[in-house]
Amino acid sequence: MKNIAAFFDIDGTIFRNSLMIEHFKKLNKYEVIDPSIWYTRVKKVYEEWEKRFGDFELYLETLAQVYIEELKGVNKTYIEFIASQVINLNGDMVYKYSRDQIEWHKSQGHKVFFISGSPDFLVAKMAEKYGITEYKGTIYKVDEENKFTGEIVRMWDSESKQRVLNELIAKYNVDLENSYAYGDTTGDISMLRMVGNPIAINPNKPLFLAIREDEELSNKISIIVERKNIIYKLNPDVEIL
């Protein structure tokens, strides 16, 4: 018997920010990451994005590079303690639509998966909080002393997500035609294309344009935008400025 599944990205799709960004802030607070690095390497890019002159993806990539470098040599046990604090404090900072959909899928007996570019130790705690079937995140490798090596196995691009999707589909005998996928960037486009019920949640411009250019995807996708206390459903041909 085949299973219906729901594949969710996390950052920007469920969570209203980035788990890694929230973790980075806490690491700064506890001086695991030197607070001065924010001012010398990240602040300018952040302020450009905050003022809407710059791009969020550039800000995230800049911060991610610093994050990976600064974790090298740090013991994972300590990092996981701070990660737990992040989820305890921010784990409910999610979109209402996404939270409701997770609960609906679970009530229907569907398999629910989180597939995220955020660090696996953060994704694991988010998965535990929402009681989902299985998760995949970016793997941060550790050495024999449980210290981060600075090496990662990334999970934020479409190709990487496609690889783990194939593994999960085979493992759980997934009925793709009746399954669901939720994402917000082009990194999620492979899983949106694969299922019969794709949903783009607050899509960024590159994803929105990619949907428009893909006739098969645009004919079956739902585009959801949640702002303040209103949830909108848009057509792919809606005018964008």
Side-chain angles (χ1 to χ4, degrees):
M1 178 179 173
K2 287 199 167 187
N3 293 297
I4 295 175
F7 302 96
F8 285 85
D9 170 57
I10 294 181
D11 298 332
T13 300
I14 299 173
F15 192 59
R16 299 202 312 267
N17 195 349
S18 158
L19 292 177
M20 184 184 66
I21 289 174
E22 294 301 324
H23 195 224
F24 183 94
K25 290 176 182 177
K26 279 283 184 293
L27 295 174
N28 260 267
K29 178 180 178 180
Y30 293 118
E31 298 187 358
V32 176
I33 293 177
D34 183 350
S36 68
I37 290 176
W38 168 262
Y39 298 98
T40 58
R41 297 185 59 185
V42 182
K43 184 181 178 184
K44 182 179 178 180
V45 182
Y46 166 74
E47 289 180 342
E48 286 293 301
W49 167 72
E50 182 74 5
K51 295 172 183 175
R52 297 304 187 267
F53 291 117
D55 181 72
F56 179 77
E57 295 302 320
L58 177 60
Y59 160 50
L60 189 60
E61 288 171 13
T62 302
L63 185 142
Q65 187 58 44
V66 174
Y67 181 87
I68 293 166
E69 291 173 7
E70 292 300 310
L71 284 187
K72 186 175 181 180
V74 178
N75 192 284
K76 186 178 181 181
T77 302
Y78 182 45
I79 293 302
E80 286 188 321
F81 170 74
I82 300 173
S84 295
Q85 289 188 314
V86 169
I87 303 305
N88 289 339
L89 292 171
N90 301 288
D92 291 317
M93 195 175 76
V94 299
Y95 290 110
K96 181 181 186 301
Y97 177 85
S98 302
R99 181 176 58 236
D100 290 347
Q101 287 301 106
I102 291 169
E103 293 307 312
W104 178 76
H105 285 298
K106 288 166 62 178
S107 74
Q108 298 300 306
H110 298 167
K111 304 296 183 183
V112 180
F113 304 102
F114 288 174
I115 303 176
S116 173
S118 277
D120 54 349
F121 48 84
L122 287 166
V123 177
K125 297 183 188 308
M126 199 71 165
E128 181 181 0
K129 177 178 175 63
Y130 286 94
I132 58 98
T133 309
E134 194 169 333
Y135 70 90
K136 299 289 183 180
T138 294
I139 298 169
Y140 282 63
K141 293 184 177 182
V142 295
D143 60 20
E144 62 278 1
E145 296 180 346
N146 206 34
K147 293 180 179 179
F148 290 105
T149 65
E151 296 178 274
I152 65 168
V153 179
R154 66 181 187 174
M155 193 57 63
W156 56 74
D157 60 290
S158 184
E159 293 77 14
S160 298
K161 289 191 175 185
Q162 180 73 66
R163 185 183 69 252
V164 300
L165 274 168
N166 292 339
E167 294 171 0
L168 293 170
I169 289 163
K171 179 178 178 180
Y172 291 92
N173 194 23
V174 172
D175 175 0
L176 287 174
E177 183 59 33
N178 290 301
S179 289
Y180 299 73
Y182 301 81
D184 71 315
T185 70
T186 52
D188 304 312
I189 200 161
S190 59
M191 67 182 189
L192 294 173
R193 284 174 172 152
M194 288 182 72
V195 299
N197 301 288
I199 298 97
I201 299 179
N202 298 321
N204 65 6
K205 190 172 183 179
L207 176 58
F208 195 94
L209 294 176
I211 291 168
R212 270 192 177 171
E213 293 167 3
D214 186 327
E215 184 176 356
E216 183 179 354
L217 181 58
S218 64
N219 284 335
K220 63 179 180 177
I221 200 165
S222 297
I223 299 175
I224 301 297
V225 175
E226 182 174 329
R227 288 292 180 268
K228 298 182 179 177
N229 62 346
I230 300 180
I231 299 171
Y232 306 86
K233 186 174 182 180
L234 305 180
N235 294 319
D237 59 355
V238 69
E239 182 181 4
I240 57 174
L241 305 175

